[in-house]
Amino acid sequence: MRFVHSTTRPSRKREDTVLSFIGRSVIQKTITLFFVSIVSFLIIHLAPGEPSQVDPLNPKFTPEMVERFRKEFHLDEPLHIQYTYFYRDLLTGKTVSWKDNQSVLGKIWERFLNSLPLFIVGTIITWTLSFPVGIRSAIFRGGLYDRNATFFSYLLISIPGFFFAYILIIFVVTQFHVPVIGLKTFGIGDAAWPRLFMDRVWHLLLPSILGATGGIAILSRYVRSQMLEVEGQDYVRTARAKGVPEEQVHYKHALRNALLPFVTMFGLILPGLIGGSVIIESIFSWPGMGRMAFEAILARDYPVILTVNFISAVLVLAGTFVSDLLYLVVDPRIRL
Amino acid sequence: MMRDAADTVTPGFQVDDPVALQQGFGQLLKQNRLAMIGLAVFVVFFCIALLGLGLTSGRNPTFDPSVVRLQEKLRPPLSKPNLETLSTEDVPRLGVYLFGTDDLGRDVFARMLQGAWVSLTVGFVAVGISVFIGIFMGGIAGYFGQRHTFIDTLIMRFVDIMLCFPSFFLILTVVALLPASMYNIMIIIGLTSWMGTTRFVRAEFLSLREQDFVTAARALGVSNFRIIFRHMIPNAIAPVLVSATIGIASAILTEAGLSFLGFGVPPPHATWGGILSDGKRFIFDAPWLTFAPGFAILIVVLSFNLFGEGLRDILNPKLRERQG
Amino acid sequence: MDNGKDILLSVQDLKVYFHLNQRLAQAVDGVSYEVRKGETVCLVGESGCGKTVSALTTLGLIPQPPGEIAGGQVLFKGQNLLDLGDDEMQKIRGNHIAMVFQEPMTSLNPVFTVGDQVQEAIMVHEKVSKTELRQRSVQLLEDVGLPAPEERLADYPHQLSGGQRQRVMIAMALACNPEVVIADEPTTALDVTIQAQILNLFGELQRERDLSLLYITHDLGVVANIADRIYIMYAGIIVEQGSAPEIFHDPRHPYTQGLLASLPNRAKRGARLHSIPGTVPDPAYKPGGCPFHPRCNLAIETCQSRFPEMCDYGNGHQSRCPVLYDGNG
């Protein structure tokens, strides 16, 4: 799509163009998704090795078993037939895992519910911390606060997640003596609910913070640069020349403009829903999406791998679509 | 701000003034302390990695990272080896376990030296591949795209498709499916990270195409090939350099992550991520197994990031005049 | 005329420097001018001569760093504005001294309506009821000649043309009935026909409201109709000053003469237009002596080494060219 700045007033035509924008966008993204499905299918199936060879030493995998397995999952058919079988099953929700014959969508949904709290808490931490830090950095550009914030954000971007995870684990375990691995403390059973609740919070906190670190660093830098960009605009000078107090210049005139691009970022959060973090979830033994994907890779469970891939591609495309739409809604200057 | 003042007090310092740029470059780099530190650490790391390769490989290496001394396992850093129980060739060369030993009694210092080379090569080769593909695809899309919209559309749609994959998950999948080797890891990281470079090389080319010196070259009958390589790539290289520097940082992180999950360079070869992964069972008993490689990765990645950001500030003329 | 009591705004020996990449740019290097009550003063010079910087300094709008006010005073009704704190300065801005900028396209905040922005200009200085706020902003928009002002209140800046936006900017500047309005090249970014309209608007408003107007421009032709007094600026200093008739009919500085000669309407039909050779020097690398000497066709050897003093021609007419002064005796 192409955005054009124009000075005409909004009219009924706008609705038509919005509709046609939506139409074109949906078609284009569907085509992209189709190719994504082909590419991911090819990557998996052209790689050397086959799932039926996954464990040749296992006595259960007799040649007859392997043959039956191949038949059952159409592995003896040519690739394009396999492709149609697979995506027909996926779209009708009938895909099953090769490992345990369970419904893939059911498995994903179950793990998704486990990852969801991590995602929500992580996102809240990211967005509530990044904005104040970035805005303050921009206002006091070059000052002590800004330089410290800059250095810390580089630090957070550069630290390997697993290393940071262990630092935090060592810190929390030695200082607060609370266990942090897993969803909840093993065998906590039927303790009083405040204890259960606090236990859950402790277990949730570390992986959420870890999931948020990279986001905080990147988002706060982005907020800062947006703010700096806007602070240099003529209309900010105009506000000052009118005698508007300094805080209002920053928080009303500048911030309102700097926020525009972030509204669109709400759409870009979407892919994070399914991502989960493979590394963090394995460190904390968190039974979420990331760990399921990791286990699927280890077991060469192609249906699970491909489904996760497909869903995350859908979310990426939906995310960009939503962010384009949001931009359309929030910025009165944009015409199609 | 202050169009009048800003426009006029900094002339003679535009990008199209190469002499001023070069003169200013060194000066500005010196002013940007963080970037200087980043560059210094990078140079030190480079030397250590080269040295490490020399000292840890070969038939009889100075520092042997693979000597197993079960009687000396999990010794803390700076502890002296017990000379009575060790055969002479197993005594660490420095006479001390600088970074301690791991659960098999291997010298962590020697293993770190060996791992440095892995991180360095994975970072550089992976980024080399992605930059090459990026310039190639972006250059074609940007240079020929206007006349042959088909090519442009094809390449840019391909970029869109690649961006739909969750990158770490994709890398992990492919690395897991392929036989474990350092080269596979480099190639796969390179093959999955060229999209950003392609996008901005294309954008850069599209704007360079319209500039007078390119038109002039074309009017003189200079071949497309020559125009691209002599005139356009040198002009588009600055932003590529910045993203490559930061790309190296993230490639090193990705490799460390893969090693941590057990998909890295196959043992017995040591990698920083691998040492950390092996040590995770002993984080309370032998924290040096976590901290030594962890800080090493952190410092190296941080230095690349700082240097890259510093480069960006220096090469960005708009930011430059604000630095004052 | 020389009654000191009438002087509203007086800039004395103002020096504003910028620290850029370890170089020092002396954007304003000892400038003095004054604006009296009810008079239109024009500050004329090529872009980069420091006229905008000196105006922004008056309102305390120079970012520090990289800017540095190295010396001088800005007296408003006898009070040095450079001594004021942020809070006190805010009460001056917009309330006593207002400013209209060069770029109407970017000087209005795109996410607020015209009404919001005009009303804000009133609200930051006065406590007024909502209905009065609305009435006054409609009145202001009407005063600056915006058609259908009631409806304009709900418009966003991007829905207006450049000329209309500049009218809104002027309405905002007039919101609190300031004593002094500084207009920084307010017509430069506009179409020629609109330029004339805006210029006339300034003329009318100035007469009706008895405003003191400091009009900054690079175009000597523009100011002929409105200026009472004129200051000619070059490379951070005032090179000539005097009443409008004297500057136009009896210029005493080669730079002023060059500017006048390059006005198209003054040249003889068919004759080649005059132009001053060379360009304004970079404020970080100013030539020694008289800053104009590299471009001056009257330059003699001493011009390269001696900074020219002001030569007085009487009646407030002064010029920084000893060569012309000596020649006239």
Side-chain angles (χ1 to χ4, degrees):
Chain A
M1 80 261 116
R2 176 167 286 138
F3 290 137
V4 177
H5 289 257
S6 120
T7 51
T8 49
R9 279 142 185 286
S11 64
R12 189 169 293 166
K13 261 200 160 164
R14 184 174 161 86
E15 280 165 30
D16 296 345
T17 43
V18 168
L19 279 180
S20 86
F21 162 74
I22 293 175
R24 261 179 299 140
S25 198
V26 167
I27 292 171
Q28 203 182 45
K29 290 190 163 36
T30 315
I31 296 172
T32 308
L33 189 62
F34 173 66
F35 282 104
V36 169
S37 72
I38 292 182
V39 171
S40 51
F41 195 82
L42 286 181
I43 288 176
I44 293 262
H45 282 266
L46 293 183
E50 238 185 56
S52 49
Q53 302 165 344
V54 79
D55 200 358
L57 295 178
N58 190 334
K60 267 167 71 187
F61 276 94
T62 57
E64 299 82 59
M65 276 291 292
V66 169
E67 203 43 46
R68 231 186 66 206
F69 184 83
R70 285 174 63 96
K71 265 251 148 49
E72 190 176 341
F73 294 110
H74 314 292
L75 287 178
D76 46 355
E77 308 265 5
L79 268 184
H80 64 276
I81 307 280
Q82 286 188 41
Y83 174 85
T84 36
Y85 275 128
F86 177 76
Y87 281 99
R88 190 198 61 197
D89 285 354
L90 178 61
L91 295 178
T92 50
K94 284 191 293 205
T95 325
V96 290
S97 161
W98 285 351
K99 210 170 113 196
D100 47 18
N101 261 323
Q102 279 180 337
S103 157
V104 170
L105 290 181
K107 273 176 85 154
I108 289 180
W109 177 247
E110 185 191 319
R111 296 302 191 99
F112 169 75
L113 291 181
N114 285 340
S115 279
L116 196 60
L118 282 188
F119 170 77
I120 293 173
V121 177
T123 309
I124 291 173
I125 294 176
T126 307
W127 286 67
T128 47
L129 274 181
S130 303
F131 277 86
V133 171
I135 292 166
R136 244 182 99 86
S137 279
I139 291 175
F140 300 104
R141 172 167 54 106
L144 192 65
Y145 182 88
D146 181 30
R147 275 178 293 161
N148 281 335
T150 302
F151 185 73
F152 270 104
S153 63
Y154 284 136
L155 206 64
L156 287 183
I157 292 171
S158 306
I159 196 166
F162 46 88
F163 178 45
F164 197 28
Y166 285 119
I167 293 179
L168 284 185
I169 289 174
I170 291 174
F171 176 72
V172 168
V173 171
T174 54
Q175 296 300 310
F176 300 97
H177 305 287
V178 285
V180 288
I181 305 292
L183 279 175
K184 55 181 186 225
T185 305
F186 182 73
I188 195 163
D190 40 45
W193 72 263
R195 226 187 113 209
L196 275 179
F197 178 75
M198 279 317 291
D199 187 61
R200 276 304 186 100
V201 169
W202 272 115
H203 282 84
L204 191 59
L205 208 55
L206 281 202
S208 305
I209 290 174
L210 283 163
T213 47
I216 293 171
I218 293 168
L219 196 63
S220 67
R221 295 262 82 199
Y222 191 42
V223 171
R224 177 182 179 274
S225 73
Q226 278 299 325
M227 230 7 223
L228 276 184
E229 167 99 33
V230 171
E231 291 270 352
Q233 296 293 323
D234 288 344
Y235 51 77
V236 173
R237 187 179 61 183
T238 307
R240 278 209 184 88
K242 282 200 282 193
V244 176
E246 201 64 4
E247 301 95 72
Q248 275 187 50
V249 170
H250 293 308
Y251 292 103
K252 187 176 163 196
H253 286 267
L255 188 58
R256 193 75 76 87
N257 280 280
L259 282 180
L260 272 186
F262 294 100
V263 176
T264 68
M265 282 181 72
F266 280 117
L268 303 182
I269 299 178
L270 266 184
L273 267 176
I274 190 143
S277 165
V278 177
I279 292 179
I280 289 170
E281 288 186 2
S282 357
I283 291 175
F284 287 92
S285 302
W286 193 272
M289 294 281 308
R291 236 181 97 209
M292 180 195 65
F294 183 53
E295 285 157 5
I297 291 172
L298 285 179
R300 299 210 165 189
D301 195 349
Y302 290 3
V304 176
I305 298 174
L306 283 173
T307 310
V308 170
N309 224 319
F310 188 80
I311 295 179
S312 70
V314 170
L315 287 177
V316 169
L317 292 170
T320 50
F321 180 64
V322 169
S323 81
D324 286 351
L325 276 186
L326 282 174
Y327 220 107
L328 220 63
V329 175
V330 293
D331 195 333
R333 284 165 295 181
I334 287 173
R335 294 287 168 282
L336 298 164
Chain B
M1 50 185 67
M2 292 179 316
R3 196 165 307 274
D4 195 41
D7 279 357
T8 49
V9 282
T10 54
F13 226 73
Q14 272 117 31
V15 214
D16 52 12
D17 188 349
V19 181
L21 180 63
Q22 272 162 24
Q23 279 176 351
F25 190 85
Q27 250 184 28
L28 286 166
L29 190 60
K30 268 180 219 154
Q31 277 175 48
N32 194 331
R33 253 209 348 254
L34 283 181
M36 273 308 277
I37 296 172
L39 181 65
V41 174
F42 161 57
V43 171
V44 170
F45 165 62
F46 192 86
C47 297
I48 289 178
L50 266 182
L51 212 68
L53 180 71
L55 293 178
T56 58
S57 58
R59 208 161 254 284
N60 192 9
T62 320
F63 294 99
D64 193 339
S66 54
V67 175
V68 175
R69 319 169 181 83
L70 286 174
Q71 65 277 42
E72 296 274 87
K73 66 181 183 180
L74 297 182
R75 300 291 300 269
L78 294 177
S79 57
K80 293 250 184 322
N82 187 350
L83 295 174
E84 288 156 29
T85 56
L86 283 180
S87 61
T88 39
E89 65 263 31
D90 285 354
V91 175
R93 203 54 52 114
L94 292 174
V96 62
Y97 297 116
L98 201 58
F99 291 164
T101 61
D102 66 5
D103 56 323
L104 296 175
R106 294 176 297 191
D107 184 6
V108 176
F109 178 68
R111 294 182 66 73
M112 293 286 296
L113 271 183
Q114 193 181 30
W117 178 251
V118 176
S119 290
L120 184 79
T121 41
V122 168
F124 273 83
V125 176
V127 169
I129 293 172
S130 91
V131 165
F132 179 78
I133 300 177
I135 291 180
F136 183 73
M137 303 268 260
I140 289 180
Y143 190 79
F144 299 106
Q146 266 187 336
R147 210 170 313 149
H148 311 276
T149 18
F150 173 71
I151 298 178
D152 187 37
T153 315
L154 197 72
I155 291 177
M156 293 331 279
R157 285 296 142 277
F158 188 43
V159 167
D160 286 347
I161 290 168
M162 287 301 290
L163 285 174
C164 281
F165 291 101
S167 68
F168 188 73
F169 183 60
L170 176 67
I171 294 171
L172 192 62
T173 311
V174 181
V175 168
L177 294 179
L178 293 177
S181 95
M182 189 158 120
Y183 302 100
N184 281 341
I185 291 174
M186 296 176 195
I187 293 168
I188 289 159
I189 295 178
L191 287 180
T192 48
S193 58
W194 49 270
M195 290 82 78
T197 316
T198 303
R199 277 194 164 171
F200 66 62
V201 168
R202 171 178 176 269
E204 201 76 9
F205 266 42
L206 278 177
S207 74
L208 281 173
R209 250 188 82 96
E210 303 305 317
Q211 302 209 345
D212 291 340
F213 66 93
V214 175
T215 320
R218 214 178 294 134
L220 287 171
V222 179
S223 71
N224 281 333
F225 184 79
R226 217 179 137 73
I227 290 178
I228 291 179
F229 280 90
R230 292 276 307 168
H231 296 278
M232 293 178 75
I233 289 185
N235 277 291
I237 207 72
V240 174
L241 217 64
V242 172
S243 83
T245 314
I246 294 167
I248 291 174
S250 72
I252 291 176
L253 273 184
T254 307
E255 187 276 328
L258 289 173
S259 291
F260 179 79
L261 289 174
F263 288 111
V265 179
H269 200 107
T271 62
W272 291 352
I275 298 171
L276 209 155
S277 176
D278 291 341
K280 70 188 169 198
R281 285 169 293 155
F282 312 104
I283 48 169
F284 295 107
D285 307 318
W288 59 89
L289 291 178
T290 302
F291 283 97
F295 275 117
I297 299 169
L298 171 62
I299 289 167
V300 168
V301 171
L302 185 62
S303 76
F304 276 99
N305 276 331
L306 288 177
F307 181 55
E309 291 295 332
L311 268 187
R312 190 204 303 279
D313 286 355
I314 291 164
L315 294 170
N316 184 346
K318 213 172 133 196
L319 273 176
R320 237 190 288 145
E321 65 195 30
R322 285 187 187 158
Q323 288 205 328
Chain C
M1 195 76 175
D2 267 330
N3 188 353
K5 273 184 189 167
D6 279 332
I7 294 176
L8 270 180
L9 181 68
S10 161
V11 171
Q12 288 174 0
D13 198 27
L14 183 68
K15 290 185 172 127
V16 185
Y17 298 161
F18 285 88
H19 299 271
L20 292 151
N21 300 325
Q22 296 185 326
R23 297 181 315 164
L24 189 68
Q26 300 169 331
V28 175
D29 203 9
V31 159
S32 306
Y33 55 79
E34 52 207 34
V35 183
R36 302 192 180 103
K37 189 157 176 46
E39 128 187 285
T40 301
V41 172
C42 288
L43 204 54
V44 183
E46 289 170 271
S47 52
C49 72
K51 53 195 193 306
T52 300
V53 173
S54 74
L56 288 173
T57 312
T58 310
L59 282 179
L61 291 177
I62 293 289
Q64 304 181 50
E68 181 205 341
I69 295 167
Q73 288 183 312
V74 177
L75 298 175
F76 176 69
K77 292 178 170 172
Q79 186 183 28
N80 187 0
L81 297 184
L82 299 181
D83 292 342
L84 295 185
D86 281 350
D87 291 348
E88 294 161 306
M89 200 59 219
Q90 258 153 37
K91 290 183 186 122
I92 302 278
R93 289 183 201 137
N95 200 7
H96 299 286
I97 307 176
M99 191 153 175
V100 177
F101 294 99
Q102 181 175 358
E103 287 287 344
M105 304 309 276
T106 52
S107 290
L108 288 170
N109 197 325
V111 298
F112 295 112
T113 62
V114 167
D116 286 339
Q117 298 187 56
V118 176
Q119 287 170 7
E120 186 188 36
I122 304 171
M123 249 170 7
V124 288
H125 296 297
E126 294 173 38
K127 267 206 147 75
V128 279
S129 69
K130 266 198 170 159
T131 43
E132 196 194 334
L133 207 56
R134 197 181 157 83
Q135 275 170 4
R136 271 177 68 178
S137 37
V138 171
Q139 185 61 45
L140 278 168
L141 293 181
E142 205 178 317
D143 289 350
V144 297
L146 214 59
E150 292 265 0
E151 294 159 35
R152 288 293 92 78
L153 287 182
D155 278 355
Y156 283 92
H158 74 271
Q159 293 168 315
L160 305 180
S161 70
Q164 288 173 326
R165 287 189 218 188
Q166 196 60 297
R167 286 176 196 271
V168 173
M169 284 295 294
I170 297 170
M172 274 163 43
L174 296 175
C176 292
N177 291 312
E179 286 102 319
V180 181
V181 171
I182 302 174
D184 182 12
E185 306 231 17
T187 62
T188 307
L190 302 173
D191 291 344
V192 181
T193 47
I194 313 285
Q195 280 188 14
Q197 290 176 14
I198 297 288
L199 204 66
N200 287 337
L201 177 65
F202 270 111
E204 280 168 32
L205 290 169
Q206 193 265 332
R207 274 192 302 277
E208 284 168 13
R209 301 184 169 227
D210 199 26
L211 276 178
S212 301
L213 184 62
L214 177 62
Y215 196 96
I216 299 172
T217 180
H218 66 275
D219 187 354
L220 205 46
V222 164
V223 305
N225 301 324
I226 57 167
D228 294 317
R229 285 187 309 115
I230 296 175
Y231 291 85
I232 308 284
M233 249 183 114
Y234 185 81
I237 56 170
I238 304 276
V239 292
E240 183 166 6
Q241 65 191 62
S243 69
E246 273 170 308
I247 296 286
F248 275 98
H249 300 300
D250 188 19
R252 295 302 176 102
H253 194 281
Y255 180 61
T256 317
Q257 291 170 353
L259 283 180
L260 283 169
S262 52
L263 289 179
N265 51 350
R266 295 195 136 227
K268 290 201 181 89
R269 196 170 259 273
R272 271 185 89 93
L273 269 182
H274 178 81
S275 68
I276 307 171
T279 53
V280 185
D282 184 335
Y285 302 109
K286 272 194 231 174
C290 171
F292 188 61
H293 82 259
R295 300 173 71 188
C296 182
N297 49 10
L298 299 175
I300 56 173
E301 221 179 299
T302 49
C303 293
Q304 293 175 25
S305 52
R306 219 181 71 207
F307 184 75
E309 292 303 315
M310 272 292 186
C311 309
D312 199 343
Y313 291 92
N315 228 352
H317 188 184
Q318 291 180 316
S319 158
R320 268 191 211 277
C321 186
V323 179
L324 275 179
Y325 189 69
D326 295 345
N328 285 356

